[in-house]
Every structure is written in C-alpha cells, then in structure tokens.
Amino acid sequence: MSASSAKVSRKDNSNHDGADETSEKEQQEAIEHIDEVQNEIDRLNEQASEEILKVEQKYNKLRQPFFQKRSELIAKIPNFWVTTFVNHPQVSALLGEEDEEALHYLSRVEVTEFEDIKSGYRIDFYFDENPYFENKALSKEFNVNESGDPVSKSTEIKWKAGKDLTKRTGQTPNKAGKKRQHEEPESFFTWFTDHSDAGADELGEVIKDDIWPNPLQYYLVRISLFILASSKFILTTEDDEWYPG
C-alpha cells in the first residue's frame, strides 16, 4: 500500500469517527426531545382520563333510573337471573348442579360503581327464602386500600346445616371404595370467600362489564336456540311432507 493511499485511508477513518460522534450527539438530542414530547403525551392522557372519569360519573347517574326500571321488570320474570348465568359461557362453567338450584332463589342483582369509579364497585345478590343459607343478600365489594392496592371483601354466608356448597369435595366413592373426581366445578359460592387476587377477579369483571350492562341478551339465548330448533324441525318435516297433528 502506498503512503498516499494510507493517508487517504487514515483520513477516511478520521472522517468516519467524526461522523459517528456527530450521529451519537444527534441521537442523544433526539432521545431527549422524544422524552419531552412523551411527557406531553402522558400529560394529555392523564387529562383525558380525568375528563373520561367525569363523563362516566355523569352518565352513571343518568343510567340509574333505567337500571331501577329494568330491575322492576326483571322481577316479573321467574328465574331470570339463574337463566342468564347458566346461558353465559364463562359463568356457566363455574356452576355445579346445586349451585344452579341455589341460584333459582336469586331474585335480583345490582352492580354499583362507586362515585370515584377508579376506586371500585360492589355487586349485590338478593335472594328469596331458600334451603341453603339464611342471608337475604350477598355482596362482594372491590376497592383499593390506602397503599393503592386492589382489595375485596364480601358478606359471610350463613349456611344452613349440611348445606354449605363451598365444602363439597367434588368426589364420590365408586364401587371399589376408592374416590373418583366428579366433573362438578368448584362451587360458584366460593367466589364470595376468595380474596386472593382482587385486581384480577374474572367473575366480578364479567358480571360488571358484560352481564350487568345487558343481561337480557344472555337470558334470551335459550329462547333463541329453542326458536331455531323449532324452525329446523318445521323445515325438516315440510321437506319430508309430514306435518305433526
């Protein structure tokens, strides 16, 4: 390699190093500006959250008379709530046979979001006189503690003698005297005693955000299926040129 070419090479490397230094400086400045812009975005997001909260609070108050009217109308329909829960895919998976029996006495469900919506909500279940427990109402409440952590609390269920559904083992003896697992799920009512993860209570969120806004859509599922099945029966018999008397 000639001396001149070596000089050119060293000069090129020097220029490249200088370009790298300039590029790094520009990148650092860009990062600092991005951080400044991001802070403005975060500030606007926080402001938007406050505005959304005010709107939610306003419309929660406006919805209350309609929720009350809906509850009065639902009370005229026998087994409305147990049918709604049984028809809901996630809730039905939590229901054993005896849970369903107990829920036949469920007369009313109410969901109340606290005025500061971010602080929590409460779900109230009202029951008619039943053979399972003494309570007329069962509630579960979700809020945040002084540290800002989600917590929950609920009504203690006063079970009647031998009727505590949360103590069922889900096992029955077979002919050999051994135990085999039932396909029965853990009792729905264990939800009232489970406070292990209040920030991710799936059943509470399903009831509050999915069922409560429009329970009628789930109550009507079975009726819709019945109508569909009836329609198929009529079509089939017409195709076969046979009509039931």
Side-chain angles (χ1 to χ4, degrees):
M1 180 180 294
S2 66
S4 60
S5 64
K7 288 179 181 178
V8 170
S9 178
R10 284 196 296 272
K11 184 176 180 181
D12 287 345
N13 288 336
S14 177
N15 288 342
H16 183 67
D17 291 342
D20 284 346
E21 289 177 4
T22 301
S23 177
E24 289 177 4
K25 182 179 180 181
E26 290 176 348
Q27 289 180 28
Q28 184 60 38
E29 289 177 351
I31 289 171
E32 291 173 1
H33 288 312
I34 290 171
D35 187 50
E36 292 173 1
V37 173
Q38 189 62 52
N39 287 337
E40 288 300 314
I41 293 172
D42 293 341
R43 183 182 63 80
L44 288 172
N45 287 341
E46 185 175 347
Q47 183 179 340
S49 296
E50 293 174 358
E51 294 296 325
I52 291 170
L53 179 59
K54 291 177 182 177
V55 171
E56 281 294 326
Q57 290 172 333
K58 172 185 175 181
Y59 281 93
N60 269 347
K61 291 179 179 178
L62 292 175
R63 284 192 279 264
Q64 290 311 309
F66 296 98
F67 285 145
Q68 180 61 35
K69 180 63 175 178
R70 188 181 70 184
S71 291
E72 293 171 2
L73 294 170
I74 286 174
K76 299 179 181 181
I77 304 174
N79 299 320
F80 179 91
W81 285 109
V82 66
T83 302
T84 297
F85 286 163
V86 167
N87 287 345
H88 191 283
Q90 289 170 273
V91 179
S92 63
L94 304 174
L95 299 178
E97 290 183 11
E98 287 193 282
D99 290 331
E100 287 187 35
E101 289 298 322
L103 289 174
H104 273 85
Y105 297 92
L106 178 61
S107 59
R108 182 159 56 100
V109 174
E110 298 287 344
V111 174
T112 303
E113 293 195 64
F114 301 147
E115 187 170 354
D116 181 1
I117 297 171
K118 292 186 291 186
S119 69
Y121 62 96
R122 187 180 70 252
I123 304 177
D124 299 305
F125 300 80
Y126 297 89
F127 290 84
D128 295 330
E129 181 69 28
N130 66 81
Y132 293 94
F133 44 80
E134 301 289 349
N135 310 70
K136 300 298 183 184
L138 298 176
S139 302
K140 188 165 184 179
E141 183 176 305
F142 301 85
N143 47 40
V144 294
N145 60 22
E146 295 179 355
S147 303
D149 298 319
V151 294
S152 63
K153 60 182 180 179
S154 59
T155 306
E156 180 182 355
I157 304 177
K158 299 177 181 178
W159 296 101
K160 294 182 179 180
K163 292 294 186 178
D164 189 343
L165 301 181
T166 66
K167 291 184 178 179
R168 303 299 166 86
T169 62
Q171 296 180 331
T172 55
N174 61 15
K175 292 181 179 179
K178 297 180 180 179
K179 290 184 177 180
R180 61 181 176 80
Q181 290 292 331
H182 252 319
E183 293 183 359
E184 289 270 313
E186 187 177 55
S187 174
F188 168 85
F189 291 92
T190 59
W191 175 67
F192 288 96
T193 60
D194 182 7
H195 305 289
S196 59
D197 193 0
D201 191 298
E202 185 176 352
L203 179 56
E205 292 173 359
V206 164
I207 294 172
K208 178 176 73 76
D209 297 329
D210 190 14
I211 294 177
W212 176 247
N214 184 7
L216 185 63
Q217 63 178 320
Y218 293 107
Y219 174 79
L220 293 175
V221 166
R222 188 165 295 180
I223 297 175
S224 299
L225 290 174
F226 175 78
I227 293 173
L228 179 60
S230 299
S231 299
K232 287 183 177 179
F233 173 74
I234 293 170
L235 287 173
T236 301
T237 54
E238 285 180 347
D239 290 341
D240 293 340
E241 296 183 350
W242 177 78
Y243 301 89

